[in-house]
Amino acid sequence: MRAVVTGCAGFIGSSLTDRLLELGNEVVGIDSFDDYYAPSAKRDNLAGALRDPAFTLVEGDLLDLARPDAACTGSLREIISAADHVYHLAAQPGVRESWGRTFESYARNNVLATQVLLECAKDVGVESFVCASSSSVYGDTDMLPMDEEAACRPYSPYGVTKLAGENLARLYARNFGMPAVVLRFFTVYGPRQRPDMAFHRFIRAVLEDRDIEVFGDGSQTRDFTFVGDIVDGILAAPAAPAGSVMNLGGGCRVSLAETLDVLGSVMGREVRIKRSPVQAGDVRDTWASVTRARELIGYEPKVDLAAGLDAEYRWLASIA
Ligand code: NAD
Ligand code: UGA
C-alpha cells in the first residue's frame, strides 16, 4: 500500500514512517522542517528512511504545497491522489508555548493546514485518513478517566487548535463520508521525543549533571504513552468506522514525582530537582479511557514506564 505521512520528520511521524517501511509499504513523507526545534534533529530522525528506496521525502509546508503554483516536488493534490492511506501528524505542538504571538503558528499549522489536506483528500478520495489529535482537547477536568463522550474544554491555545483540527476531520467524515478517524494521543514519550517535552528535558539534565526543573509540586498526573504503542494504534486506526474518535493512552496514570523515582532507577543516578511555578495551559491530570480503542481497533498498550524510559534514556545517551 502507499501511505502519505505528514510531519514525517517529527518525533511520532518518523517513528510511524520507519514502521510503515519495515512492513513493506511505500511512503511519501511531507515535512516543512520548521524550527520549533532543531531541523537537524528532524533530519536525524529520517536518516534510516532516506536510505530506503520505498521512501520519498517531500520537503515543504502543507499550505505551500496546496497552492496551485507549488514549486515543490509535486502539488499536494497529486501527492494525495497517489496515496491509499493518509496519516496526518504535521502540527505545531507544545502546550506551554502556545500563548502570545506564537499562536499564529498554531492556527496556521493545526487548523489551516489540516483544512487544505482534508480538501485534497475529499477531492481525490482516499481509503483512510488518520488525524492526530491530543488529550489537550479535554482541558482541565476532574472527570477521570477521560472518555471520548466527555465535553471538550481545552485549557491551552494549543488545545483549542487541536480541537478545531479534529472537528474539521469529523465534519468531512459526516458531510462527505470521508473515511477520517481521529486519534487523541496522551503525552507520548520514547526515542526521538521532542526536546521541549518533560522526559527529554529530564534525561538530558541528569546526563549533564544538572537539576531537573519541575513545574509545580510534581503531584500532577499524566497518562504517559510509549511511542511504539502509539504507532500500533495509528496503524490499526483505519479499521474503525469513518468519523470515529479514539483515545490512545499508555494504560496507566502516574504523578510526575513517581516518574522521577522510576527515572532515577532506570538511569542509576541521583535525580536532583528544582521547582518552578505551574505553567499556564498545563492541566493538572490526564488519564485515558482506552475502552473504545480496544473495542474498535484492538488497541492494547504494551510498554510500561520503566521499559519506555529505559529506551528513551538509551537513545539520548547514544546521541549525547
Ligand atoms: P513534532 O514537532 O516532532 O512533529 C511535527 C512535524 O510536523 C514537525 O517535523 C514539523 O516540521 C512538521 N510540520 C509542522 N507544520 C507543518 C506544515 N504546515 N507542513 C508540513 N510539515 C509541518 O511533533 P510530535 O510530538 O511528533 O507530534 C505529532 C502529532 O501528534 C502532532 O499532531 C501533535 O499535535 C500530536 N500529539 C503529540 C503528542 C506528544 O506527546 N508528542 C501528544 C498528543 C498529540
Ligand atoms: C504533551 C505534548 O507536548 C503535547 O504536544 C500533547 O498534545 C500533549 O502531551 C497531550 O497529551 O495532548 P505535556 O503533557 O505537557 O504535553 O507533556 P510533557 O512536556 O511531557 O509534560 C508532562 C508534565 O511534565 C507536565 O505536567 C509539565 O508541566 C511537566 N514538565 C514538563 C515539567 O515539570 N518540567 C519540564 O521541564 C517539562
Side-chain angles (χ1 to χ4, degrees), residues 11 37 187-201 203 224 312 315-316:
F11 163 39
Y37 60 94
T187 312
V188 189
Y189 73 104
R192 302 182 188 166
Q193 192 189 38
R194 301 193 324 262
D196 60 306
M197 293 188 68
F199 291 157
H200 186 126
R201 298 188 72 194
I203 295 169
F224 291 100
E312 182 163 349
W315 166 68
L316 273 169

Side-chain angles (χ1 to χ4, degrees), residues 36 92-97 133-137 158 162 184-189 193-194 196-202 212-216 218 220-224 256 277-279 281-284 286:
Y36 177 62
Q92 172 59 62
V95 176
R96 295 171 287 282
E97 292 77 7
S133 186
S134 158
S135 70
S136 63
V137 302
Y158 165 75
K162 292 303 287 184
R184 293 177 178 161
F185 305 159
F186 281 65
T187 312
V188 189
Y189 73 104
Q193 192 189 38
R194 301 193 324 262
D196 60 306
M197 293 188 68
F199 291 157
H200 186 126
R201 298 188 72 194
F202 293 175
I212 281 176
E213 183 179 22
V214 171
F215 301 138
Q220 67 266 48
T221 63
R222 288 288 179 278
D223 193 335
F224 291 100
L256 203 59
V278 172
Q279 304 290 295
D282 268 343
V283 299
R284 189 180 152 74
T286 69

